[in-house]
C-alpha cells in the first residue's frame, strides 16, 4: 500500500503519517527527515540541502528525486510505505509515477491536509520535536503540550525546535508551498486518488482525527 501525504507545512502531515505507519505496519518515508539526517552527518547531499532548507526553499528536484529513488529500492518499503513530504512539485509527482510504473506499483491514496493559513504560522512556531531519532514525536506547546515542559512524554528525551521553524522561514515555506506544491493537489484529484480533510482549531479537528478517518477508509 502506497500512501502520499500532501498539505502545507505545519498541517500535521508528519503526525498523520507516523500514526498511520504504526497502525498499518508500513514505514513512513519523510524527505525532510532524510535531509535533516544528511545535514547532521554533513554529507554532500546535506551540505547542498541545507542551503535551501535554511531559507525555506525547496531542495532542487534533481537532488530530491534521486534520494527517493534510492530509498524506494530498500527492502523494508517493498510492501508499502507512506511518503511524507514527497512529491512537492509536479516534476516530482511525474518522476514518482514513472518509478512506480517501472516497479509495477500503484498509489492507493493521496491524503491532503487543509489548514487555514492564519493558523499555520502559529502551529509551526509552537512545534517541538523529540530529539531522540528513534522517536521524533511531535508536540505543540499550545495545541498538544507535553506533560512536562521540554520533555517527550513517550521516551523522556529532550524536545527541540527545528531550525527552520521560525516565523521568517515559515513565511518563505508557505510561498514555496502555494507556488510549487499546491498544484499537485489537482494532479492527484484528476487521477481520482485524492482524499482531502480539514485540520483546524476552528472546527476542533486535529491531525489525529484524520488518522481515524483514513484508517477506516482504507480498511473497511
Ligand atoms: P514541513 O512540511 O513542515 O515544511 P518537511 O520536514 O517536510 O517539513 O520539510 C522541510 C524542508 O525540507 C522543506 O522546507 C524543504 O526545504 C525540504 N524538503 C523536504 N521535502 C522536500 C521535497 N520533496 N522537495 C524539495 N524540498 C524538500
Ligand atoms: Zn521521544
Amino acid at each position: 500500500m502506497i500512501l502520499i501525504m500532501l498539505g502545507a507545512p505545519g498541517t500535521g502531515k508528519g503526525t498523520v503519517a507516523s500514526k498511520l505507519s504504526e497502525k498499518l505496519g508500513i514505514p513512513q518515508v519523510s524527505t525532510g527527515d532524510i535531509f535533516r539526517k544528511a545535514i547532521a552527518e554533513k554529507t554532500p547531499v546535506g551540505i547542498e540541502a541545507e542551503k535551501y532548507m535554511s531559507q525555506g526553499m525547496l531542495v532542487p528536484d534533481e537532488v530530491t528525486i534521486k534520494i527517493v529513488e534510492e530509498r524506494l529500492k530498500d527492502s523494508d518499503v517493498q510492501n508499502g510505505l507512506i511518503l511524507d513530504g514527497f512529491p512537492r512539485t509536479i516534476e516530482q509527482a511525474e518522476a514518482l509515477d514513472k518509478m512506480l510504473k517501472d516497479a509495477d506499483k500503484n498509489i492507493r491514496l493521496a491524503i491532503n491536509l487543509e489548514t487555514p493559513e492564519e493558523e499555520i504560522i502559529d502551529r509551526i512556531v509552537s512545534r517541538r520535536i523529540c530529539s531522540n531519532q528513534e522517536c521524533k514525536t511531535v508536540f505543540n506547546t499550545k495545541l498538544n503540550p507535553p506533560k512536562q515542559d521540554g520533555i517527550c512524554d513517550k521516551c523522556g528525551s529532550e524536545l527541540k525546535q527545528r531550525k527552520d521553524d521560525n516565523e521568517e522561514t515559515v513565511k518563505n515555506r508557505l510561498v514555496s508551498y502555494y507556488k510549487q506544491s499546491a498544484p499537485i493537489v489537482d494532479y492527484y484529484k484528476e487521477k481520482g486518488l485524492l482524499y482531502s480533510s480539514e485540520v483546524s482549531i476552528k472546527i476542533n479537528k486535529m491531525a489525529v482525527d484524520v488518522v481515524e478517518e483514513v484508517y477506516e477508509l482504507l480498511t473497511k
Side-chain angles (χ1 to χ4, degrees):
M1 169 151 19
I2 299 170
L3 302 176
I4 291 175
M5 296 303 310
L6 304 177
T11 49
K13 294 190 294 289
T15 304
V16 173
S18 129
K19 294 223 152 61
L20 278 176
S21 156
E22 258 173 50
K23 280 172 96 93
L24 297 166
I26 50 175
Q28 167 188 11
V29 171
S30 155
T31 39
D33 282 349
I34 295 174
F35 287 137
R36 277 183 287 277
K37 185 161 179 269
I39 290 173
E41 290 169 355
K42 298 196 167 65
T43 67
V45 164
I47 290 163
E48 177 73 5
E50 190 170 25
K51 292 188 229 161
Y52 299 91
M53 282 174 79
S54 62
Q55 311 272 334
M57 285 159 64
L58 292 185
V59 177
D61 284 336
E62 205 187 77
V63 179
T64 309
I65 290 166
K66 213 192 257 161
I67 269 184
V68 172
E69 216 160 26
E70 286 306 311
R71 182 66 181 91
L72 291 189
K73 289 179 190 158
D74 293 340
S75 60
D76 66 318
V77 300
Q78 298 313 313
N79 287 326
L81 78 159
I82 305 172
L83 278 169
D84 165 20
F86 182 93
R88 259 172 146 115
T89 62
I90 294 281
E91 196 175 338
Q92 291 178 14
E94 286 171 351
L96 177 65
D97 279 348
K98 182 161 186 308
M99 287 177 226
L100 296 180
K101 192 167 172 235
D102 291 346
D104 204 16
K105 289 178 175 158
N106 288 304
I107 295 164
R108 173 74 182 275
L109 201 65
I111 304 154
N112 180 39
L113 306 181
E114 296 177 308
T115 301
E117 201 179 331
E118 65 270 18
E119 277 181 47
I120 288 179
I121 293 180
D122 204 37
R123 291 170 75 101
I124 293 185
V125 295
S126 333
R127 175 155 76 177
R128 300 290 182 277
I129 300 163
C130 176
S131 57
N132 171 2
Q133 289 308 295
E134 304 291 305
C135 178
K136 290 186 196 158
T137 302
V138 181
F139 295 86
N140 185 295
T141 55
K142 288 182 187 163
L143 299 170
N144 167 36
K147 291 197 184 80
Q148 200 185 332
D149 242 16
I151 304 290
C152 175
D153 288 356
K154 260 199 192 163
C155 75
S157 302
E158 191 191 347
L159 299 182
K160 289 217 164 119
Q161 185 167 27
R162 253 169 58 181
K163 251 195 189 152
D164 59 347
D165 278 355
N166 60 73
E167 199 164 331
E168 201 187 301
T169 313
V170 172
K171 283 183 179 151
N172 291 339
R173 279 155 68 195
L174 281 173
V175 172
S176 312
Y177 172 76
Y178 288 110
K179 220 162 107 187
Q180 294 169 278
S181 308
I184 66 173
V185 173
D186 279 340
Y187 181 88
Y188 289 110
K189 191 176 181 182
E190 278 159 26
K191 289 179 185 285
L193 293 172
L194 187 71
Y195 176 82
S196 271
S197 200
E198 195 179 343
V199 174
S200 167
I201 41 173
K202 278 189 198 144
I203 55 164
N204 194 23
K205 204 163 142 222
M206 307 258 284
V208 282
D209 303 311
V210 179
V211 175
E212 297 308 320
E213 281 172 17
V214 173
Y215 185 72
E216 206 161 286
L217 187 87
L218 291 172
T219 54
K220 80 180 169 207

